[in-house]
Amino acid sequence: MGVISIEQTDRLFWLGRYTERVYTTISLFSDKVDQMLDGQPGSYGEFCRDLDIPNIYASDEDFQKRYAFDKNDENSILSNLERAYDNAIVLREAIGSETLSYIQLAIYEMNKAEQSSAPLLELQKVQDNILAFWGIADDLIASENVRNIIKVGKRVERIDLYARLKQPKENMVREVQRLAGRIDRCSVKYDRGHLENLKKLVAEEEMNYYQLVTEIESMI
């Protein structure tokens, strides 16, 4: 499995979580901006409620600017991408310079998006670089343990987001199965009872999304 420190494990896990958070919230943000432009002003409030983040935005325009690009907003896309980068730069030896470079490219495209007259198009390039990061990590990182820790972080974040967004049952089942099949193949310490509860919850006919969030947040 390969021995890595507790600190490295934690950073790899959160690298997986933050990259997934950036990738998914860009899609959610883009959809919400399209809705607002199509005649649903103020609907960013629903967006904030779904993700359980404070609605600190004064208008549609304020939301579009600050949620995407405000470094001082801890929930912004940029803040989460910078946290991914902060972990990746410390993990350079574990993940390799080429893998790290795609996070750096995502930061570059994020900065371009902030200055662009069509930021949603530039944000798609951020997502492209996140996808490339995941692909190159799977291809070039020699340690299976390192690869799996990143993937576990990614799955945990996806389950958390999907539960908050009340995704269909089949999506929840798929992601919990993927997590369950991966987590024992790496050195992440977790509470098996919460994993078993997740399996039971997604097997029920009606999804208890609130409990799913509680279980996934308590598992690791």
Side-chain angles (χ1 to χ4, degrees):
M1 183 176 290
V3 177
I4 62 174
S5 69
I6 293 173
E7 180 184 356
Q8 279 185 311
T9 299
D10 186 64
R11 287 189 176 277
L12 288 163
F13 174 76
W14 280 102
L15 176 58
R17 288 202 68 162
Y18 285 132
T19 51
E20 173 64 29
R21 190 176 302 176
V22 169
Y23 182 84
T24 297
T25 54
I26 285 176
S27 295
L28 297 172
F29 172 75
S30 299
D31 290 344
K32 185 55 63 178
V33 171
D34 285 341
Q35 287 178 17
M36 290 188 292
L37 292 175
D38 288 341
Q40 298 182 42
S43 59
Y44 60 86
E46 178 185 359
F47 178 95
C48 294
R49 287 193 298 273
D50 287 344
L51 294 184
D52 194 24
I53 62 174
N55 183 354
I56 60 173
Y57 312 105
S59 64
D60 289 359
E61 293 74 17
D62 188 47
F63 169 74
Q64 291 175 41
K65 188 69 174 178
R66 293 178 61 196
Y67 180 76
F69 305 114
D70 186 356
K71 291 183 178 182
N72 296 316
D73 180 355
E74 65 178 3
N75 295 300
S76 73
I77 297 169
L78 177 58
S79 291
N80 283 308
L81 181 56
E82 288 187 335
R83 286 192 282 268
Y85 175 76
D86 289 344
N87 282 292
I89 199 75
V90 174
L91 293 164
R92 181 192 293 268
E93 289 190 12
I95 66 175
S97 295
E98 189 170 353
T99 306
L100 168 64
S101 70
Y102 285 97
I103 301 296
Q104 294 171 318
L105 285 171
I107 291 279
Y108 172 73
E109 295 296 347
M110 194 74 193
N111 292 331
K112 282 179 61 180
E114 184 175 10
Q115 304 302 320
S116 174
S117 59
L120 295 185
L121 294 177
E122 298 296 339
L123 287 174
Q124 289 179 9
K125 296 178 183 178
V126 176
Q127 288 184 302
D128 290 344
N129 280 294
I130 296 295
L131 287 171
F133 163 76
W134 289 332
I136 205 72
D138 207 35
D139 189 48
L140 292 186
I141 294 176
S143 169
E144 182 182 9
N145 189 24
V146 168
R147 296 196 306 271
N148 284 332
I149 295 169
I150 294 172
K151 290 177 182 178
V152 164
K154 176 181 173 182
R155 295 296 166 206
V156 166
E157 184 66 24
R158 186 171 291 183
I159 291 167
D160 187 284
L161 288 170
Y162 278 17
R164 293 178 188 276
L165 297 167
K166 297 180 173 56
Q167 289 286 296
K169 177 183 174 70
E170 59 267 25
N171 292 354
M172 302 306 306
V173 170
R174 181 185 67 243
E175 296 306 325
V176 170
Q177 288 177 342
R178 286 177 172 177
L179 176 63
R182 179 79 56 182
I183 197 165
D184 285 328
R185 294 158 60 186
C186 69
S187 57
V188 171
K189 304 299 182 185
Y190 71 100
D191 187 315
R192 182 171 293 277
H194 289 297
L195 178 59
E196 294 304 318
N197 288 341
L198 283 172
K199 292 179 183 177
K200 292 175 183 176
L201 285 166
V202 297
E204 294 175 356
E205 186 174 348
E206 295 292 329
M207 292 285 94
N208 185 336
Y209 291 104
Y210 176 82
Q211 191 61 36
L212 281 165
V213 171
T214 300
E215 296 294 342
I216 196 65
E217 287 186 341
S218 302
M219 197 179 88
I220 297 176

